[in-house]
Amino acid sequence: MFFHRQELQFKATPDKPDAVYARKLQEVLGGQYGEITVAMQYGFQSWNTHLPGKYRDLLYGIGAEEFGHVEMLATMIAQLLEKAPIGITEEAVQNDPTIAAVVGGTDVQHAIVAGAGARPVDSNGNPWNAGYVTASGNLLADFQANANAEMQGRVQVARLYHMTDDSGVRDMLAFLLARDTMHQNQWIAAARELQEEGFEGIPTPSNFPLDQEHREVSYQYINFSNGTDADKGSWASGPTPDGLGEFTYVPEPPAGVPMPPPTQPDPRLYGTTAKPNPVEKAAGKLKDTFKSE
């Protein structure tokens, strides 16, 4: 059950309207690493969790918080648009030809579609996509993905912080940066604890039998580039993080194996093959006649 309380987790009031900045702020609302993504990601992870207790409760709690961040950003964007000029002005592109070329001023759909309100889109107007969500059912894989999402999101919020001098906007972003700091640390701690308690390990999934993979290449760094420095990293020599092997460095890929012959799809799919068209056509008619699979 969700229950909405009509107040914000932190104040979201700008000093002045700024339609161009409202468009920029859409990225951390509806972009790949925006608040809609993490809210839905943590939500689906919690609903798909097979392990009762603290890890599911963690996901439930943070997922609910992120929905509050969605509301904060939507509220801020609406206020940035509230008294902003509807048209594109010289100030709207900040006298910067790069901004003018890339941003082109305001997002006209803020006015035409949303009536001076936020939209579930990124800064280019691309609709939020459920494909951004990672919810695999494997908690270690998911917690690592969550840490990445918080890192990417914090990078973007930090960049946006320097793109405005509005103290009200900066104050809200400073709060979101602090919560991202917490969430990065939280997911890293949860991933570590999950491993310490033996629920999952590296390589993930740890329940897959290692003797069923080609172990001879499990810890090889194979250099597929003409760069010369990859062998200097800890991934090229020494013990592996899973504690089960030693890294080795292969300076260039070994010889490959021959390609299989070209495929021959069902002629009724009308792909171009090595057979002449009349032959393909006749084969298709025969398949239809005899109801071949």
Side-chain angles (χ1 to χ4, degrees), residues 2 35-49 56 58-67 133-135 146 187:
F2 283 90
E35 299 290 357
I36 296 176
T37 294
V38 289
M40 295 299 288
Q41 181 155 307
Y42 305 161
F44 273 95
Q45 288 177 9
S46 66
W47 303 322
N48 294 343
T49 295
R56 186 169 63 174
L58 165 67
L59 286 161
Y60 277 137
I62 303 307
E65 178 183 0
E66 300 294 7
F67 276 107
V133 169
T134 299
N146 294 350
W187 294 125

Side-chain angles (χ1 to χ4, degrees), residues 8-30:
L8 298 178
Q9 185 184 8
F10 190 84
K11 58 183 179 293
T13 304
D15 296 339
K16 58 186 181 300
D18 187 338
V20 172
Y21 193 79
R23 178 175 180 176
K24 296 174 184 176
L25 207 56
Q26 283 283 165
E27 190 64 37
V28 291
L29 173 62

Side-chain angles (χ1 to χ4, degrees), residues 245-261:
E246 293 277 329
F247 284 122
T248 58
Y249 178 78
V250 181
E252 59 183 43
V257 298
M259 286 283 291

Side-chain angles (χ1 to χ4, degrees), residues 147-168:
N148 171 67
E150 295 288 349
M151 291 174 188
Q152 296 288 349
R154 193 172 190 274
V155 166
Q156 294 180 356
V157 173
R159 289 169 176 163
L160 281 163
Y161 184 92
H162 296 294
M163 293 181 185
T164 182
D165 58 3
D166 187 302
S167 62

Side-chain angles (χ1 to χ4, degrees), residues 3-283:
F3 176 81
H4 179 257
R5 192 163 63 197
Q6 295 190 32
E7 59 188 50
L8 298 178
Q9 185 184 8
F10 190 84
K11 58 183 179 293
T13 304
D15 296 339
K16 58 186 181 300
D18 187 338
V20 172
Y21 193 79
R23 178 175 180 176
K24 296 174 184 176
L25 207 56
Q26 283 283 165
E27 190 64 37
V28 291
L29 173 62
Q32 181 177 358
Y33 298 108
E35 299 290 357
I36 296 176
T37 294
V38 289
M40 295 299 288
Q41 181 155 307
Y42 305 161
F44 273 95
Q45 288 177 9
S46 66
W47 303 322
N48 294 343
T49 295
H50 312 294
L51 183 66
K54 62 184 177 183
Y55 296 112
R56 186 169 63 174
D57 288 355
L58 165 67
L59 286 161
Y60 277 137
I62 303 307
E65 178 183 0
E66 300 294 7
F67 276 107
H69 294 175
V70 170
E71 186 172 43
M72 285 167 57
L73 282 164
T75 301
M76 177 65 80
I77 288 169
Q79 291 177 93
L80 286 166
L81 293 168
E82 183 178 14
K83 296 179 181 178
I86 292 176
I88 297 175
T89 65
E90 184 178 1
E91 292 77 15
V93 293
Q94 302 171 349
N95 296 317
D96 185 326
T98 303
I99 296 291
V102 176
V103 178
T106 62
D107 178 355
V108 294
Q109 291 198 343
H110 270 155
I112 298 170
V113 176
R119 301 177 60 236
V121 300
D122 66 15
S123 54
N124 281 327
N126 300 308
W128 180 82
N129 188 329
Y132 299 154
V133 169
T134 299
S136 70
N138 183 293
L139 288 182
L140 184 54
D142 285 350
F143 289 172
Q144 296 284 6
N146 294 350
N148 171 67
E150 295 288 349
M151 291 174 188
Q152 296 288 349
R154 193 172 190 274
V155 166
Q156 294 180 356
V157 173
R159 289 169 176 163
L160 281 163
Y161 184 92
H162 296 294
M163 293 181 185
T164 182
D165 58 3
D166 187 302
S167 62
V169 174
R170 279 192 161 193
D171 195 29
M172 183 196 72
L173 295 182
F175 177 80
L176 292 177
L177 286 162
R179 294 309 295 158
D180 287 344
T181 295
M182 169 56 191
H183 294 163
Q184 286 183 35
N185 282 279
Q186 157 202 295
W187 294 125
I188 292 169
R192 182 178 63 242
E193 192 163 327
L194 195 73
Q195 294 176 81
E196 290 172 350
E197 294 179 343
F199 288 111
E200 188 55 272
I202 301 293
T204 303
S206 56
N207 284 343
F208 184 84
L210 291 180
D211 60 5
Q212 292 186 27
E213 70 180 42
H214 286 278
R215 293 293 287 167
E216 68 274 12
V217 297
S218 292
Y219 303 116
Q220 288 183 351
Y221 178 88
I222 304 173
N223 188 26
F224 281 88
S225 169
N226 63 358
T228 59
D229 290 338
D231 63 339
K232 296 178 174 60
S234 60
W235 54 84
S237 63
T240 58
D242 62 14
L244 301 176
E246 293 277 329
F247 284 122
T248 58
Y249 178 78
V250 181
E252 59 183 43
V257 298
M259 286 283 291
T263 53
Q264 296 289 328
D266 189 307
R268 292 168 295 179
L269 296 177
Y270 306 111
T272 303
T273 72
K275 295 179 181 178
N277 276 355
V279 175
E280 290 273 70
K281 184 176 181 180

